[in-house]
Amino acid sequence: GGSPLSLSSHLSLSWCSSQPSCHSAMNTSEPGNPTLVLRQMLKQAEEAHRERVYSQAQRFRMQALQPGYPAQPQPAEAPVTPSTSPSTPQSRPLAPAKVTPEKLPLSPVLDSSVRTQKMSLCSDQEEWLVTMAAQHGYSSASGALDRLVKWANAETSSAKKHLFLVIRCRRCSAGAKGGVKHDYDLTLPAMQWQWLGNVKERCQHASVGKTLRIMIDFYKPLCDGDPNFENQLFAQTSSEGKENNSEADNKKAS
């Protein structure tokens, strides 16, 4: 029932009674100081442990110096199976060639026919098309409009957004010149009508006529303020000149 210190002291003294080294240690220390005796015992135990570890290390070192140590078992060789495939990549049989899918048929030829449709334009817009046609050698307002549609179609994506999506209130007043709309027969290639229909759907215009009016209202002031741009826009290519001449000839023959 005593304290741990008294118990350890009792054990130490009982063990040291049979050891001459302990008697000598106790004889040279203070009488009745068990702590010093315990320290000496621990020190002797540590020295004995170091000697054992050193001896084991020496024995292991001597064994390692002997030839053939350690004798490791050799791994069993795997049985060699005859191979029918060549060893070099160059002589390996070629993999079956991938079957290339048949080419899809080319897109159908664009409709080169022309169609005439009634479009609602303001009177000043139709007059401007007629004036541009007369000044630049087109047989009718439809020829000038065809050139205008081609130019708009060739614009960049950002320019098309500015052209067809930006609201320009130039005809807000009901009494503005040309505010009243009339139906005009306009002739364009079928592909041009198709493109205008696509623009109308994507931009959510009320009609294809609305798309045409927006386009004319965009380019008309630009041409009025810049004759060089007007000449560039309505300049005819060789194919357009031939089409206009053939159209004029057909009108004379009829």
Side-chain angles (χ1 to χ4, degrees):
S3 62
L5 182 59
S6 61
L7 179 60
S8 60
S9 302
H10 176 73
L11 294 175
S12 300
L13 291 173
S14 61
W15 183 84
C16 288
S17 60
S18 60
Q19 302 293 332
S21 60
C22 289
H23 285 290
S24 61
M26 292 183 66
N27 293 334
T28 58
S29 61
E30 284 182 42
N33 190 353
T35 303
L36 183 59
V37 175
L38 183 60
R39 288 180 181 176
Q40 292 178 349
M41 292 172 57
L42 292 175
K43 183 176 180 182
Q44 292 175 359
E46 289 176 358
E47 291 177 355
H49 177 68
R50 279 198 297 269
E51 291 178 359
R52 288 194 301 270
V53 171
Y54 180 79
S55 299
Q56 292 176 358
Q58 287 293 102
R59 286 197 301 270
F60 179 80
R61 179 173 175 273
M62 295 301 295
Q63 291 177 358
L65 293 177
Q66 295 178 2
Y69 180 86
Q72 297 180 355
Q74 296 295 328
E77 295 183 359
V80 179
T81 57
S83 176
T84 56
S85 60
S87 59
T88 57
Q90 291 80 1
S91 58
R92 292 182 184 272
L94 296 178
K98 295 182 179 180
V99 179
T100 304
E102 295 182 0
K103 292 184 179 180
L104 296 176
L106 297 176
S107 58
V109 178
L110 294 176
D111 189 357
S112 59
S113 62
V114 295
R115 294 203 307 262
T116 301
Q117 297 187 23
K118 288 187 178 296
M119 291 287 117
S120 296
L121 299 179
C122 299
S123 59
D124 66 316
Q125 294 174 333
E126 194 271 342
E127 291 172 1
W128 181 72
L129 289 176
V130 171
T131 301
M132 293 297 102
Q135 291 181 358
H136 297 280
Y138 294 95
S139 59
S140 65
S142 296
L145 180 61
D146 175 66
R147 180 62 185 170
L148 194 66
V149 172
K150 289 178 180 177
W151 187 277
N153 193 10
E155 296 278 14
T156 62
S157 178
S158 58
K160 288 177 181 176
K161 291 179 181 178
H162 181 72
L163 167 57
F164 292 110
L165 295 177
V166 175
I167 299 175
R168 290 173 286 275
C169 298
R170 294 175 181 168
R171 301 178 183 273
C172 295
S173 174
K177 181 182 177 180
V180 180
K181 302 175 185 64
H182 303 279
D183 290 339
Y184 299 94
D185 290 334
L186 296 173
T187 303
L188 290 174
M191 67 180 74
Q192 301 282 38
W193 288 120
Q194 182 180 359
W195 180 77
L196 290 169
N198 293 339
V199 174
K200 175 253 179 187
E201 293 296 329
R202 294 187 64 180
C203 300
Q204 299 181 354
H205 297 158
S207 63
V208 174
K210 176 66 173 178
T211 303
L212 284 176
R213 293 193 298 272
I214 292 174
M215 185 173 58
I216 294 173
D217 281 344
F218 179 80
Y219 286 109
K220 182 177 181 296
L222 296 179
C223 293
D224 293 342
D226 190 349
N228 292 329
F229 175 74
E230 175 189 319
N231 293 332
Q232 185 180 4
L233 193 157
F234 289 104
Q236 293 191 42
T237 62
S238 57
S239 60
E240 289 171 341
K242 292 178 182 178
E243 291 175 1
N244 283 297
N245 292 334
S246 61
E247 183 180 350
D249 293 341
N250 293 334
K251 286 185 177 180
K252 291 179 180 179
S254 60

